[in-house]
Amino acid sequence: MDNEQTPQPEIPAKVVGAQEEKKEGEAKEQEKEVPAATPKEPRRGRGRIVSVQGPVVDVRFDSYDEIPALFDMIEVYNFNKRRVVLQTAEHLGGTLVRTVALMETLDLQLNAPCYNTFRPIAVPVGDANFGRIMDAIGNPIDRKGPIDAPLTPIRSVTKILGFDLKQKDAAKPEILETGIKYFDLLFPLVKGSKTGIIGGAGCGKTVVILELINNIVKGHGGACVFAGIGERIREGNELYHELSDSGLLNNVMLSFGQMDQPPGARAEVVNTGIVLAEYLQAKNKDVLLFMDNLYRFVQGGQEISTLLGRVPAETGYQPTLASEVSAVQERICSVPGRGSVTAMQAVYVPADDMTDPAVVAIFSYLDGSVVLSRDLVQRGMYPAIDPLQSSCGNLDPGVVGKRHFNLSQDVIQHFNKYNGLKRIVAVIGVEELNKEDRLIYGRAQRLLNFMTQPFSVSEVFTGKKGEYVVIPDTLDGVEAILNGNYDKTKPADFYMIGKAPRLP
């Protein structure tokens, strides 16, 4: 009997149900005690500053699990409690990493705590960016408050476009009409192409950019992104107010890495501008991406490379020059059936040396280059594009059509002959030329004047209403001049007009 277990009395089902209800009630009460709104804390690795050498900061982390990946963002606060953003550049061994500051490192302290965010730099990207200016890390710099948009990493590859590397059927090039005669005739923009703009200060580069923005927005319902890379603060301020005065600001997204900022910010603002363009492209918009000035991006990378102690190339540029430029250029692409990103890249040519390694690296990805001439500016020929120094790979019969191509070649031949005759005419006069040369010289003068055009954004200065000229009107006017239909019309009658005048 000792080994026999005492039978347990059966608990009625009603009692069991009551006990379960009681337990559920207690559990619910415990859930109420814990605030449901408390979000889960993001993972943060902790480290400390070991050294600060200008914009280069070395950080040692507490454990291997807290070491950041390349391009991860690290946060630190200086002596005045101001947030400073660092970007991981190198792993030096152990738990020591070398970072590049994207903000001023003034007042950073030795052993100051740093926090690894385990994510790359992300900026607010959305429709709220229209009419706003932000820096490379997404901070608004227009004093209009924070930008209300979801954060998007600036270095992530956008998969929303559905880009298929195995796609064999190439899309037919589609001309993006600008309404500017010079561009549409000799330097046509193809959706998804890249064009370089070369010009010094005072050559009308900003006016050309503003007119392109105006025509793309109003003529195509497109959108524009402006990435100011190493821009002077004065230039950025003038551009902002000119966009505002011309009513274009609400159709443009702007990102600026200004000249007074560290080299890391000047280099990363390129990716900030591209991620804005990718957002608009994903919404099936034709995007015009302005990058001014891409050479400053190379300079920023050169400074970073030197500060990181890398051995420079033979010409003094960073050894990673080709890969850095290609990483930026290859992100600018179009997908059939989706929106397009057409890039206009201003390029500074140091000492007018077209063989400079940075210029060569950039130009190898461009479909065309437009050179602005100071001599034409002094003569009042706006836009001051030099047709003989400029070039365009899109000017092909398979892209623009046979008639367009033949007319463009005839125009270039006339301009070339005009340059040769100009010095002779200055000495002996037009009357001393033979009949054929006299006809070519006069028609070239009419063509040069016909290529000038009043812009909508410069109406305040010129007093002339801006003209948007469609491609067929441009071709018809050029063909009529080349055929001699206007040989009795004065060249001055073609200056600053839109379409060609009617024949008497």
Side-chain angles (χ1 to χ4, degrees), residues 458-466:
S458 59
E459 287 181 15
V460 180
F461 308 103
T462 61
K464 294 184 178 181
K465 187 179 179 181

Side-chain angles (χ1 to χ4, degrees), residues 141-168:
I141 54 177
D142 53 4
R143 300 181 181 179
K144 291 184 179 180
I147 300 173
D148 184 18
L151 296 177
T152 304
I154 63 175
R155 281 185 172 268
S156 65
V157 178
T158 306
K159 297 180 181 178
I160 193 171
L161 297 175
F163 185 70
D164 185 7
L165 293 174
K166 296 181 181 178
Q167 189 172 4
K168 296 180 181 179

Side-chain angles (χ1 to χ4, degrees), residues 73-103:
M73 183 174 72
I74 299 169
E75 293 180 341
V76 62
Y77 292 86
N78 67 5
F79 180 76
N80 295 321
K81 307 301 180 186
R82 183 176 62 87
R83 175 173 169 265
V84 179
V85 174
L86 312 175
Q87 187 179 51
T88 310
E90 287 181 348
H91 294 113
L92 299 180
T95 59
L96 186 63
V97 298
R98 180 157 288 171
T99 67
V100 175
L102 303 187
M103 303 168 70

Side-chain angles (χ1 to χ4, degrees), residues 94-293:
T95 59
L96 186 63
V97 298
R98 180 157 288 171
T99 67
V100 175
L102 303 187
M103 303 168 70
E104 281 292 337
T105 56
L106 191 67
D107 293 330
L108 281 182
Q109 294 174 291
L110 186 67
N111 288 325
C114 303
Y115 303 97
N116 177 20
T117 62
F118 292 97
R119 60 180 177 84
I121 292 170
V123 299
V125 177
D127 290 341
N129 289 88
F130 281 114
R132 301 298 305 275
I133 310 178
M134 64 181 180
D135 60 13
I137 59 175
N139 294 328
I141 54 177
D142 53 4
R143 300 181 181 179
K144 291 184 179 180
I147 300 173
D148 184 18
L151 296 177
T152 304
I154 63 175
R155 281 185 172 268
S156 65
V157 178
T158 306
K159 297 180 181 178
I160 193 171
L161 297 175
F163 185 70
D164 185 7
L165 293 174
K166 296 181 181 178
Q167 189 172 4
K168 296 180 181 179
D169 297 330
K172 185 180 178 181
E174 186 178 353
I175 296 293
L176 183 66
E177 187 180 80
T178 65
I180 301 175
K181 290 179 286 188
Y182 248 133
F183 278 96
D184 290 338
L185 177 67
L186 300 179
F187 318 107
L189 297 185
V190 170
K191 290 183 180 180
S193 65
K194 308 178 185 75
T195 303
I197 301 179
I198 305 169
C203 288
K205 182 175 58 180
T206 302
V207 177
V208 171
I209 287 173
L210 286 172
E211 186 69 10
L212 284 168
I213 292 174
N214 177 76
N215 292 354
I216 293 298
V217 168
K218 294 181 179 178
H220 300 276
C224 298
V225 175
F226 188 93
I229 309 160
E231 284 280 273
R232 299 176 182 89
I233 298 174
R234 170 188 60 79
E235 292 176 339
N237 185 65
E238 289 176 0
L239 177 67
Y240 177 82
H241 287 291
E242 285 176 8
L243 286 171
S244 179
D245 294 342
S246 57
L248 299 173
L249 187 61
N250 291 330
N251 296 97
V252 184
M253 298 180 177
L254 300 104
S255 60
F256 273 85
Q258 297 176 140
M259 197 172 277
D260 64 330
Q261 292 183 308
R266 284 182 267 127
E268 285 300 321
V269 75
V270 176
N271 294 307
T272 305
I274 292 176
V275 81
L276 292 172
E278 287 174 341
Y279 165 77
L280 294 170
Q281 183 185 11
K283 298 184 72 175
N284 288 339
K285 285 185 176 289
D286 292 326
V287 187
L288 201 57
L289 172 62
F290 288 97
M291 306 167 76
D292 186 10
N293 186 307

Side-chain angles (χ1 to χ4, degrees), residues 420-436:
L421 295 172
K422 193 165 54 174
R423 294 181 181 178
I424 299 174
V425 169
V427 177
I428 63 175
V430 182
E431 294 77 12
E432 298 300 323
L433 296 176
N434 60 50
K435 185 179 179 181
E436 183 182 352

Side-chain angles (χ1 to χ4, degrees), residues 246-365:
S246 57
L248 299 173
L249 187 61
N250 291 330
N251 296 97
V252 184
M253 298 180 177
L254 300 104
S255 60
F256 273 85
Q258 297 176 140
M259 197 172 277
D260 64 330
Q261 292 183 308
R266 284 182 267 127
E268 285 300 321
V269 75
V270 176
N271 294 307
T272 305
I274 292 176
V275 81
L276 292 172
E278 287 174 341
Y279 165 77
L280 294 170
Q281 183 185 11
K283 298 184 72 175
N284 288 339
K285 285 185 176 289
D286 292 326
V287 187
L288 201 57
L289 172 62
F290 288 97
M291 306 167 76
D292 186 10
N293 186 307
L294 202 63
Y295 182 79
R296 307 292 181 199
F297 159 73
V298 175
Q299 277 190 319
Q302 181 185 17
E303 291 178 45
I304 292 171
S305 178
T306 304
L307 292 165
L308 293 177
R310 294 172 183 161
V311 178
E314 184 179 352
T315 52
Y317 287 102
Q318 60 269 41
T320 54
L321 172 64
S323 62
E324 288 177 7
V325 172
S326 65
V328 169
Q329 299 286 4
E330 294 298 339
R331 282 187 69 180
I332 306 170
C333 62
S334 294
V335 180
R338 295 288 185 131
S340 65
V341 178
T342 306
M344 302 291 292
Q345 306 175 9
V347 182
Y348 166 70
V349 181
D352 294 332
D353 181 14
M354 297 298 290
T355 63
D356 186 87
V359 177
V360 171
I362 295 169
F363 270 59
S364 61
Y365 292 93

